[in-house]
Amino acid sequence: MDMVFGDEIAAAGLADWRKLAQGLHARYRVDDFGAGARFVVAVGEACDAAGHHPRVALGPGYVDLRLTSDDAVYRDDEGTEHLVEWVTQQDLDVAARITEVAADHGLVADPTAVSVVELGLDTAQPGTIAPVWAALLTGDAASQGRGSPSDEVRDATGRVPNLWFGDAGEDARQRFHVEVYVPPEVAEQRVAAVVAAGGTVVDDRDAPALTVIADQDGNTGVVCVA
């Protein structure tokens, strides 16, 4: 199925969900573990019928869900098709069904609480170093380029953050940074919290989509809206 983007996602009217990084994310508040477990069972039954399932995390007071398709079609500049991990129409449909299940269980969504963390590493030779990081992060060489047309490292089980490679000159030193994806309505507040804690805004030319921040030692991170 084709990838879907901002306008199509917005048109679906999924108030409980936010598109962050590659997927759709939702958090539902639950009174206790049992209520969360019953909700997860109901979601499982509904998604079995749809033939498409979310990734689920159940914790004290919440259930987190992530929807993405492993077979989304991406077309590069030459028109070559690649299967990538991204949101498709089936994710929008299943998200709407899960919202109905949550309403049946009397659950309230907390969309401002969702977030995604990714790692970025600037390098001049991503194809050379990616296998090392794939082995270190996941123990599986197949995680290099999984769900991406690049050398990005993605763990199929979601145990560790995605690692992507940014462009760097031949003489550039290794540079890691953290990217934190948050809902649009949270970005300004998150940047303000960083500044209040002693950080600085390094680059906000692309805000609110991307705001680069730094700590007192000069280590940088990025607040992302996508």
Side-chain angles (χ1 to χ4, degrees), residues 35-185:
R38 288 189 291 274
F39 173 54
V40 171
V41 170
V43 167
E45 292 173 348
C47 292
D48 283 346
H52 186 57
H53 301 83
R55 180 171 291 157
V56 179
L58 171 60
Y62 68 87
V63 176
D64 285 346
L65 303 107
R66 173 180 181 266
L67 277 165
T68 188
S69 297
D70 292 332
D71 57 354
V73 176
Y74 164 74
R75 297 175 181 85
D76 62 24
D77 293 339
E78 286 72 42
T80 303
E81 293 188 353
H82 305 268
L83 294 183
V84 299
E85 184 180 19
W86 198 261
V87 178
T88 67
Q89 183 61 49
Q90 69 178 346
D91 297 301
L92 302 183
D93 295 341
V94 171
R97 181 69 186 100
I98 291 174
T99 297
E100 294 174 351
V101 173
D104 291 342
H105 283 247
L107 302 184
V108 175
D110 188 1
T112 63
V114 299
S115 64
V116 174
V117 175
E118 293 193 345
L119 304 175
L121 173 57
D122 294 334
T123 175
Q125 47 182 357
T128 300
I129 70 172
V132 175
W133 291 101
L136 176 63
L137 291 172
T138 73
D140 184 1
S143 63
Q144 177 184 350
R146 193 195 73 81
S148 169
S150 72
D151 289 306
E152 184 172 333
V153 176
R154 298 183 184 177
D155 178 23
T157 64
R159 294 167 298 176
V160 296
N162 292 346
L163 170 65
W164 62 270
F165 301 99
D167 188 31
E170 293 292 339
D171 297 327
R173 62 183 177 86
Q174 174 179 308
R175 288 175 293 181
F176 269 109
H177 66 271
V178 175
E179 294 201 341
V180 180
Y181 289 79
V182 298
E185 63 267 40

